[in-house]
Amino acid sequence: MKQVIDRFTTTSSTYKKFRPKYPSSIFEYIYQNTKNFETALDCGTGNGQVAIHLSKKFNSVIGIDISKNQINNAESQKNIWYIESRAEVTQFKDEYFDLITVGQALHWFDLELFNKEAFRLLKKGGTIACFGYNLFKVNDEIDEMINYFYYDVIGPFWDQERKILEEEYKNVPFDFEVISNEGYVDMTVNWDLEQLYGFIHTWTSVQTYLKANPTHDPVQELMENLKNIWGENTKREVKFPIFLKLGVKG
């Protein structure tokens, strides 16, 4: 089994504060392809962002994550149960869930084992939704600077799992009947430079960079370079392209 990778324990509070929120449209689309709404499992739940959405639709929701700190920072609801657990090996009964979700976390899992475990846990006719987002976009001038930072400055510090995310989970094991997906919108936020700074600081590559170079903050340097273009106290529209791998257990 792949070794457990916890990259978010030390940044769990900032992760909760600065990570963007998924638009309701992606959940509405998932629900259109979901038959029953009794039980849902959110794997790699992190701060519970996805679990909170699910709790508004399902009778009961279980969110699992390997990071105790992430779970401790997760938003609570009376019908959500958070459990510290790997997604690839769980104690749940066979065919227990109507929906399994993974938001921006699948690439961290042992993909073969998770595929088998998800198939075991999902009811016949149940739905699995694995989704996430890649590098954001603002405008051509800003995007060029962000791309340089992403690929050249901190590029060598990304974990190898990042490639799986960049490929939008296209090549992961997936023993489910694929549902073509469309009809949901990208994730859009309005941020100033302080919010952008906080978000980029949650990147695992930045944290790895800082461990190797503790006296130099590359994100602060990026903000200084962006200041004249972005505007020091200006909010700009930041768009995150969302991708969704949706399937049904036949």
Side-chain angles (χ1 to χ4, degrees):
M1 185 185 302
K2 180 179 178 180
Q3 183 180 358
V4 172
I5 301 176
D6 182 1
R7 294 287 189 267
F8 303 101
T9 288
T10 58
T11 58
S12 55
S13 58
T14 54
Y15 191 98
K16 181 178 181 179
K17 183 178 180 180
F18 291 110
R19 285 278 168 150
K21 302 294 190 294
Y22 291 106
S24 59
S25 63
I26 191 169
F27 296 98
E28 291 167 0
Y29 182 78
I30 292 168
Y31 298 155
Q32 290 172 17
N33 293 280
T34 304
K35 290 184 178 180
N36 298 299
F37 298 90
E38 291 294 323
T39 55
L41 175 66
D42 183 38
C43 300
T45 195
N47 59 23
Q49 181 192 147
V50 174
I52 289 294
H53 272 280
L54 300 179
S55 70
K56 299 172 185 177
K57 188 73 173 179
F58 285 80
N59 291 341
S60 65
V61 177
I62 297 175
I64 59 175
D65 201 286
I66 60 170
S67 172
K68 185 176 182 179
N69 280 353
Q70 282 277 50
I71 289 175
N72 287 343
N73 279 279
E75 187 175 344
S76 61
Q77 284 291 339
K78 61 182 181 180
N79 62 335
I80 302 178
W81 290 265
Y82 291 111
I83 300 173
E84 187 179 344
S85 170
R86 291 192 67 147
E88 307 94 325
V89 180
T90 71
Q91 302 300 315
F92 306 117
K93 297 177 182 178
D94 292 355
E95 300 187 352
Y96 187 72
F97 296 99
D98 298 296
L99 173 68
I100 295 175
T101 56
V102 189
Q104 197 75 356
L106 181 64
H107 49 294
W108 297 115
F109 300 166
D110 184 313
L111 298 173
E112 290 283 357
L113 286 180
F114 175 73
N115 179 54
K116 293 177 181 178
E117 182 70 348
F119 196 87
R120 181 184 73 82
L121 295 175
L122 201 59
K123 295 177 183 178
K124 291 181 179 178
T127 303
I128 180 169
C130 304
F131 49 93
Y133 51 88
N134 271 311
L135 188 60
F136 60 86
K137 297 183 181 301
V138 182
N139 61 38
D140 289 344
E141 188 176 15
I142 292 173
D143 293 351
E144 184 177 355
M145 296 179 68
I146 295 296
N147 286 339
Y148 175 76
F149 178 82
Y150 181 94
Y151 291 105
D152 294 276
V153 177
I154 60 166
F157 296 90
W158 284 110
D159 294 282
Q160 61 182 4
E161 286 81 3
R162 184 70 186 183
K163 185 67 175 176
I164 302 170
L165 181 74
E166 290 174 344
E167 294 173 347
E168 300 183 345
Y169 301 157
K170 287 184 173 69
N171 300 311
V172 302
F174 200 70
D175 291 336
F176 304 92
E177 296 177 10
V178 176
I179 301 172
S180 61
N181 52 82
E182 56 185 23
Y184 55 89
V185 298
D186 289 334
M187 183 164 53
T188 302
V189 295
N190 288 292
W191 278 350
D192 56 26
L193 282 178
E194 182 181 355
Q195 290 167 301
L196 184 69
Y197 174 87
F199 167 70
I200 294 178
H201 250 281
T202 68
W203 291 1
T204 56
S205 57
V206 170
Q207 295 305 308
T208 303
Y209 182 102
L210 290 171
K211 288 178 182 178
N213 305 275
T215 62
H216 179 240
D217 183 353
V219 189
Q220 185 60 48
E221 187 175 304
L222 173 65
M223 295 302 107
E224 290 296 326
N225 293 333
L226 278 174
K227 190 181 297 183
N228 290 334
I229 304 171
W230 191 286
E232 195 166 357
N233 297 307
T234 302
K235 286 185 178 289
R236 288 184 178 270
E237 184 177 272
V238 180
K239 182 173 289 188
F240 292 82
I242 291 180
F243 59 89
L244 169 65
K245 194 175 187 74
L246 192 63
V248 170
K249 182 176 176 179

